[in-house]
Amino acid sequence: MSYEACDLQTDSRYPFDPRANAFELAKMESIRRKQHPLILITRVKSSGVHYFIGPSKSYSNEYPSELEPYITKDDFEAFINEVNDVIVKYWPCFFTFILAFAFSVVTCFLSLYLPRVCIEDVQRFLGYVIERWNETWEEKGIKVEYKRNLLNSELQFYKL
């Protein structure tokens, strides 16, 4: 199906035009958050190797007690296991990191982009997993978001 064939204005899965620029999307998200603020319940810290400006290789599967009123321990473990499986599946191999760092001086650090290609796949598929679980947990009043900064990343659970 081509982009022109689907009606993005009436389809609830696409609440905005994907051709809109990032500023408009950020503004729309800001307005949505003001109307329906999210309340942070807990954070799940990363527990594996980090790629700078990206995800961790794994996340802790320790069940936070703050989630007891919202989701079961089995649901949480299934979610974390799926997240960790996706990350392991698309994580760059050790050899890729060795090549990237070995050739970084010769290539003026452009070779560090080599693992970044795989990391972008990790983030994209991680987003798909989180979106699917958010749809499942929407009726329970909970939402998960993936947050990252320079040297760390975490999964944040919010009350809707």
Side-chain angles (χ1 to χ4, degrees):
M1 176 190 298
S2 69
Y3 174 78
E4 288 77 20
C6 65
D7 185 8
L8 297 176
Q9 300 301 326
T10 57
D11 193 343
S12 63
R13 295 175 301 163
Y14 303 102
F16 54 84
D17 185 351
R19 295 175 293 182
N21 65 32
F23 178 74
E24 290 174 351
L25 295 177
K27 189 167 77 172
M28 290 173 67
E29 179 66 14
S30 174
I31 291 170
R32 186 197 64 77
R33 291 237 173 153
K34 286 180 184 174
Q35 293 172 348
H36 306 287
L38 299 175
I39 300 167
L40 181 65
I41 299 172
T42 189
R43 294 180 171 127
V44 175
K45 300 286 186 185
S46 56
S47 60
V49 177
H50 293 86
Y51 181 76
F52 65 95
I53 318 173
S56 172
K57 192 168 182 178
S58 66
Y59 290 89
S60 173
N61 60 359
E62 190 174 314
Y63 181 65
S65 60
E66 298 89 347
L67 292 177
E68 285 180 10
Y70 304 102
I71 58 174
T72 64
K73 184 175 183 177
D74 293 336
D75 279 350
F76 177 78
E77 287 177 356
F79 168 70
I80 291 296
N81 288 337
E82 188 172 349
V83 165
N84 287 336
D85 289 346
V86 165
I87 292 171
V88 166
K89 183 176 181 179
Y90 294 100
W91 193 261
C93 67
F94 183 70
F95 185 67
T96 306
F97 285 110
I98 295 298
L99 282 177
F101 287 103
F103 291 112
S104 63
V105 174
V106 177
T107 63
C108 297
F109 298 98
L110 290 176
S111 64
L112 293 178
Y113 186 74
L114 184 63
R116 182 73 188 155
V117 174
C118 297
I119 295 296
E120 288 173 357
D121 287 343
V122 169
Q123 290 176 333
R124 184 175 68 239
F125 289 109
L126 181 61
Y128 295 153
V129 168
I130 290 173
E131 182 179 323
R132 190 171 55 76
W133 279 93
N134 280 337
E135 289 173 3
T136 304
W137 288 337
E138 186 175 16
E139 64 198 26
K140 296 180 180 184
I142 195 166
K143 180 179 181 176
V144 182
E145 288 186 359
Y146 164 72
K147 299 288 183 178
R148 65 184 170 92
N149 57 26
L150 186 60
L151 295 174
N152 197 9
S153 62
E154 61 189 13
L155 299 169
Q156 297 180 350
F157 287 80
Y158 290 96
K159 178 181 177 183
L160 297 175

